[in-house]
Amino acid sequence: MYIVDLTFDCYQDTTLDAAEQAIVRLVNALRFNGQIIGEEFPTTLKDGFFITRVMCPEEDALHPLNHSPFVKFSLEKLNEAGLLQPKVKVIGQDIHSNGSDACSSPSSYILYTTYLHTCSPLYCGDDFMPVPLYKVPAVANGDFKALLKWQEDWQACDQIQINGATRCEFAAIKELADIDSDLFRRGMDLSKRIRFLTKKPVYYYLYRVGGLSKEQELSRKCPKCDGDWRLEEPWFGLFDFRCDTCELVSNISWDFQ
């Protein structure tokens, strides 16, 4: 990912409150379109202009061709707050973050995330790199807000079960690993939507922990169709199971890895 500064010049008198609201509106629009990544975007006021630092999945992520209708609307609203459209300055590549998928036409996608990830939750099924969301059709209302909110909820459940400090851990694991959970239902609905829009398979990652033994884990069937889904070799070294009928992937329980 790339570190980018957005500089907003004032072309007329404005108030801090009006400028802040206009910048926040634009930042949210860019985030829900996948053009910037993360949840914290520090903004400074210096010599009459504002600078907002963001993270982008690609160097050209903020190119106008990638803008959603909401981003275009938010850019127009800057004028009402006395701000010019932002100047974009790419500071450089962040050496600690994920790269981005460079495939022109992935053969499939995987819906996958963890509490550690800040990148796109949509991965390429060819090289397992995160796909910038603006490279696929918007899932709902012109952007990817629904998908990013699902990601936030998945990561929150993952953080709770990793910490293991409260009884909420068991409810969190159910959301991550049970095909009857609300989180699974929402995620599968989003997978189906992306599948319909891209005409490509979209596999949903089903978390797995617990179980009685490794032998029992290896003999597990697909929880949806009860079919065989164990792979001879793990897909990308991570997914031990894949059902091409139900488009699900999973792992041998982390208790036996």
Side-chain angles (χ1 to χ4, degrees), residues 30 33-36 56-64 66-67 132 134:
L30 291 168
N33 195 44
Q35 290 174 268
I36 63 176
C56 295
E58 296 181 302
E59 192 170 3
D60 63 350
L62 297 178
H63 192 284
N66 297 325
H67 290 348
Y134 49 83

Side-chain angles (χ1 to χ4, degrees), residues 189-220:
D189 285 346
L190 289 164
S191 294
K192 291 175 182 176
R193 179 63 178 164
I194 298 170
R195 186 181 311 129
F196 172 78
L197 293 169
T198 63
K199 312 302 181 188
K200 305 285 182 64
V202 181
Y203 294 90
Y204 181 93
Y205 170 58
L206 195 63
Y207 184 84
R208 176 67 176 176
V209 70
L212 299 177
S213 67
K214 186 170 184 177
E215 290 71 25
Q216 185 187 63
E217 282 297 300
L218 293 173
S219 63
R220 276 201 300 134

Side-chain angles (χ1 to χ4, degrees), residues 32-256:
F32 292 145
N33 195 44
Q35 290 174 268
I36 63 176
I37 303 292
E39 297 182 11
E40 296 184 7
F41 309 101
T43 299
T44 59
L45 172 60
K46 180 181 179 181
D47 299 330
F49 57 88
F50 299 86
I51 301 176
T52 299
R53 177 152 290 187
V54 300
M55 294 283 289
C56 295
E58 296 181 302
E59 192 170 3
D60 63 350
L62 297 178
H63 192 284
L65 289 177
N66 297 325
H67 290 348
S68 68
F70 186 31
V71 170
K72 294 176 183 177
F73 170 80
S74 300
L75 285 169
E76 293 173 358
K77 284 291 183 179
L78 289 172
N79 292 334
E80 297 182 9
L83 301 176
L84 296 173
Q85 294 197 6
K87 299 173 185 175
V88 177
K89 181 181 180 181
V90 178
I91 304 301
Q93 192 167 10
D94 179 19
I95 62 173
H96 299 297
S97 63
N98 300 82
S100 293
D101 175 56
C103 296
S104 59
S105 182
S107 61
S108 63
Y109 299 98
I110 306 166
L111 199 57
Y112 170 82
T113 191
T114 76
Y115 77 100
L116 293 172
H117 290 174
T118 57
C119 56
S120 164
L122 190 66
Y123 281 69
C124 174
D126 298 320
D127 59 13
F128 199 57
M129 293 291 286
V131 178
L133 294 179
Y134 49 83
K135 288 194 170 182
V136 299
V139 296
N141 300 319
D143 61 21
F144 302 91
K145 182 177 181 178
L147 180 60
L148 293 174
K149 290 301 178 183
W150 167 86
Q151 181 184 27
E152 288 177 6
D153 291 344
W154 207 105
Q155 292 176 335
C157 289
D158 195 28
Q159 181 74 75
I160 289 171
Q161 67 91 18
I162 286 291
N163 290 350
T166 69
R167 283 179 291 181
C168 294
E169 171 191 358
F170 304 105
I173 291 175
K174 177 178 173 61
E175 289 295 318
L176 299 175
D178 196 323
I179 62 171
D180 294 322
S181 71
D182 289 337
L183 192 62
F184 177 83
R185 175 188 54 78
R186 287 169 53 203
M188 284 300 289
D189 285 346
L190 289 164
S191 294
K192 291 175 182 176
R193 179 63 178 164
I194 298 170
R195 186 181 311 129
F196 172 78
L197 293 169
T198 63
K199 312 302 181 188
K200 305 285 182 64
V202 181
Y203 294 90
Y204 181 93
Y205 170 58
L206 195 63
Y207 184 84
R208 176 67 176 176
V209 70
L212 299 177
S213 67
K214 186 170 184 177
E215 290 71 25
Q216 185 187 63
E217 282 297 300
L218 293 173
S219 63
R220 276 201 300 134
K221 303 291 185 181
C222 173
K224 285 197 71 179
C225 69
D226 200 37
D228 293 328
W229 66 331
R230 182 183 168 191
L231 298 170
E232 291 185 6
E233 294 291 336
W235 196 21
F236 300 117
L238 178 62
F239 308 116
D240 303 287
F241 304 95
R242 183 180 71 206
C243 180
D244 294 324
T245 300
C246 303
E247 297 191 2
L248 289 177
V249 292
S250 190
N251 56 275
I252 294 172
S253 171
W254 293 111
D255 289 344
F256 304 106

